[in-house]
């Protein structure tokens, strides 16, 4: 039996491997889901959270706490205690351990390798250099890093990216907004968020050429108070619809309280504002994990041939999904408004709803459409993508 570890879980994101972690029961029987480092934070119900913790840690939860519920979960005590009351002591101890999770990542990545784990997944952009260092130090261990771009013979990269979904969200946002102003709450100004914001803005302008997108950075993946304050500020400045990249439901809840439409991020958030969440982005990391582990088991992937292995999963393949919740691409309450708004495409009028659904179907099949097709200029007027060309993965990963 081969033990594998999942490190970081994207700084405590719901669904970032751990909600999907339950689905990892489907991994090949030769593999044992033995250890992990994150805890569901924010939206997971208590029962699911407890199952998740026990599934992650094995039979003796508290015995393994200091060894396998590692120091990397960037969460606040209230977020875990509120949804998992029975685990309040775990939340307290995790909070104490999480003071500097990126520094601790160096220690834990190496510790996993030293303890005999043969495969180590590191699931936060900030762990990239630490993972590469560990890969060089432990050449017989397989590493895979999420959202990064550095690789080695024994280190792959993987990403389930949302930029196609943000483009579609932007189209819908412009259609339902009562003003030309849209708002975006961002965690950190990293390339991932910049391409998502850019895609959102381009989608909005495909519907309303006068649309603008204002961004508020909160410099945190998980901070409900900062997210709420940023959302309130954007609404006060006239934003008629909100999108975001941070790991709470605060934006959709704040927007709903002000009767402003919004777009969920990462996790199903329809239940938090069923009248005002229009759509959003959902992730299914298990698609990547199961494929990767299966290929390790069959010998397709080894510690010597991962230099060029880079999962870049979009709508095609099912790693990401358009929707406010699973199976709901667009909230039915907003379909009439999207059907009422029309745009001109190739000389013909069509509803925003029909255009969104057509582009969704095209991208799910791996069709010709891509939001980042040239000519594209940056905010300084410099041509970045020539006419007829599509931005490369390297371009998207280095967007500034």
């Amino acid at each position: 039996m081969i033990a594998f570890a999942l490190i970081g879980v994207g700084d405590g994101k719901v669904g970032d491997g751990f909600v999907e972690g339950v689905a990892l029961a489907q991994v090949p029987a030769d593999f044992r889901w033995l250890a992990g480092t994150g805890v569901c934070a924010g939206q997971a119900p208590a029962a699911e959270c407890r199952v998740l913790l026990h599934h992650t840690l094995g039979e003796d939860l508290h015995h393994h706490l200091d060894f396998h519920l590692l120091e990397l979960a960037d969460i606040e005590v209230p977020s875990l205690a509120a949804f998992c009351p029975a685990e309040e002591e775990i939340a307290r101890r995790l909070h104490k351990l999480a003071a500097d999770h990126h520094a601790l990542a160096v220690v834990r990545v190496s510790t996993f390798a030293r303890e005999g784990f043969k495969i180590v997944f590191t699931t936060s952009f900030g762990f990239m250099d630490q993972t590469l260092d560990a890969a060089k130090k432990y050449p017989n261990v397989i590493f895979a890093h999420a959202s990064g771009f550095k690789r080695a013979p024994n280190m792959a990269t993987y990403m389930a990216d949302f930029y196609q979904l943000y483009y579609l969200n932007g189209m819908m946002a412009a259609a339902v907004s009562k003003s030309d102003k849209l708002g975006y709450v961002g965690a950190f100004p990293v390339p991932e968020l910049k391409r998502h914001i850019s895609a959102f803005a381009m989608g909005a302008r495909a519907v309303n050429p006068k649309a603008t997108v204002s961004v508020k950075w909160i410099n945190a993946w998980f901070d409900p108070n900062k997210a709420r304050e940023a959302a309130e500020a954007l609404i006060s400045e006239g934003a008629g619809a909100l999108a975001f990249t941070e790991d709470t439901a605060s934006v959709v809840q704040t927007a709903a309280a002000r009767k402003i439409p919004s777009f969920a991020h990462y996790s199903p958030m329809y239940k938090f504002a069923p009248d005002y969440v229009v759509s959003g982005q959902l992730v299914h990391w298990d698609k990547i994990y199961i494929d990767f582990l299966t290929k390790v088991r069959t010998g397709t992937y080894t510690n010597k041939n991962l230099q060029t292995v880079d999962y870049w999963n979009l709508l095609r393949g099912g790693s990401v999904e358009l929707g406010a919740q699973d199976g709901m691409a667009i909230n039915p309450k907003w379909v009439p408004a999207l059907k009422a708004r029309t745009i001109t495409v190739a000389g013909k009028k069509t509803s925003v709803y029909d255009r969104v659904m057509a582009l969704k179907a095209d991208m799910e099949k791996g069709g010709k459409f891509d939001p980042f097709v040239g000519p594209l200029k940056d905010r300084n007027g410099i041509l970045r993508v020539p006419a007829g060309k599509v931005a490369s993965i390297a371009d998207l990963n280095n967007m500034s």
Side-chain angles (χ1 to χ4, degrees):
M1 184 166 292
I2 303 173
F4 69 93
L6 194 66
I7 293 184
V9 194
D11 304 317
K13 293 180 180 179
V14 177
D16 215 13
F18 272 75
V19 168
E20 261 69 39
V22 176
L24 286 177
Q26 303 172 46
V27 302
D30 292 348
F31 292 89
R32 182 183 176 198
W33 173 241
L34 181 64
T37 66
V39 180
C40 50
Q43 290 82 35
E48 184 177 57
C49 186
R50 285 195 292 274
V51 169
L52 199 56
L53 287 164
H54 286 275
H55 179 68
T56 301
L57 297 172
E59 296 178 0
D60 188 348
L61 176 66
H62 296 285
H63 173 72
H64 289 292
L65 179 63
D66 291 330
F67 300 95
H68 295 306
L69 190 60
L70 305 176
E71 302 92 333
L72 311 180
D74 185 13
I75 62 170
E76 298 294 332
V77 174
S79 69
L80 181 60
F83 292 93
C84 308
E87 312 298 348
E88 187 170 357
E89 173 61 16
I90 293 175
R92 184 190 67 77
R93 293 175 70 180
L94 271 174
H95 182 64
K96 180 179 178 182
L97 291 169
D100 189 355
H101 68 284
H102 285 289
L104 288 165
V106 181
V107 177
R108 286 311 305 179
V109 173
S110 294
T111 300
F112 267 140
R114 201 167 52 245
E115 289 177 350
F117 288 85
K118 298 302 182 184
I119 309 165
V120 178
F121 295 94
T122 56
T123 70
S124 178
F125 180 80
F127 299 158
M128 180 167 60
D129 290 335
Q130 298 96 319
T131 307
L132 183 61
D133 289 343
K136 292 176 180 178
K137 187 176 181 180
Y138 298 97
N140 293 323
V141 175
I142 288 175
F143 294 86
H145 175 245
S147 74
F149 51 84
K150 295 181 180 180
R151 290 181 289 279
N154 61 327
M155 177 181 164
T157 49
Y158 64 99
M159 184 62 180
D161 200 75
F162 290 139
Y163 78 82
Q164 294 173 325
L165 302 180
Y166 273 110
Y167 183 89
L168 300 179
N169 287 175
M171 291 182 67
M172 291 185 275
V176 301
S177 174
K178 293 181 179 180
S179 75
D180 295 336
K181 297 180 179 180
L182 305 175
Y184 198 109
V185 178
F188 294 98
V190 296
E192 177 186 348
L193 271 72
K194 291 185 177 182
R195 67 175 172 265
H196 294 167
I197 294 168
S198 296
F200 181 77
M202 289 190 295
R205 288 191 173 176
V207 172
N208 176 7
K210 296 181 180 179
T212 60
V213 179
S214 296
V215 181
K216 301 288 186 186
W217 300 107
I218 63 172
N219 296 307
W221 289 116
F222 186 89
D223 193 318
N225 291 331
K226 287 184 178 180
R228 185 188 68 251
E229 291 169 359
E232 289 174 343
L234 289 166
I235 294 170
S236 296
E237 292 169 7
L242 299 183
F244 63 100
T245 304
E246 55 86 29
D247 302 321
T248 77
S250 295
V251 173
V252 298
Q253 291 170 319
T254 302
R258 300 282 291 272
K259 299 183 178 181
I260 296 293
S262 65
F263 294 81
H265 171 63
Y266 216 91
S267 304
M269 294 188 179
Y270 170 80
K271 62 186 176 183
F272 294 104
D275 291 333
Y276 291 97
V277 177
V278 180
S279 185
Q281 324 93 43
L282 301 168
V283 68
H284 303 291
W285 286 112
D286 51 309
K287 301 284 186 182
I288 296 175
Y289 292 132
I290 291 169
D291 184 76
F292 189 92
L293 291 170
T294 299
K295 287 177 178 175
V296 171
R297 183 185 65 173
T298 61
T300 303
Y301 291 162
T302 72
N303 63 319
K304 299 184 185 299
N305 66 355
L306 301 181
Q307 185 78 52
T308 60
V309 174
D310 179 30
Y311 285 77
W312 181 255
N313 287 24
L314 305 172
L315 272 166
R316 185 180 185 182
S319 291
V320 299
E321 176 185 354
L322 179 70
Q325 66 179 13
D326 292 334
M328 181 193 285
I330 299 174
N331 185 337
K333 293 186 177 181
W334 290 92
V335 170
L338 294 172
K339 287 186 174 181
R341 183 67 180 267
T342 61
I343 57 175
T344 300
V345 180
K348 296 181 180 180
K349 278 195 172 183
T350 185
S351 72
V352 171
Y353 176 84
D354 287 342
R355 181 61 174 165
V356 166
M357 298 307 287
L359 291 178
K360 171 179 174 289
D362 179 75
M363 290 187 285
E364 285 174 340
K365 293 185 297 184
K368 294 182 179 180
F369 178 81
D370 190 280
F372 288 104
V373 65
L376 291 176
K377 295 181 179 180
D378 63 19
R379 58 182 173 274
N380 297 315
I382 299 172
L383 183 67
R384 294 295 185 180
V385 183
K389 301 293 184 180
V390 177
S392 67
I393 295 175
D395 290 333
L396 297 175
N397 271 330
N398 290 280
M399 190 172 287
S400 60

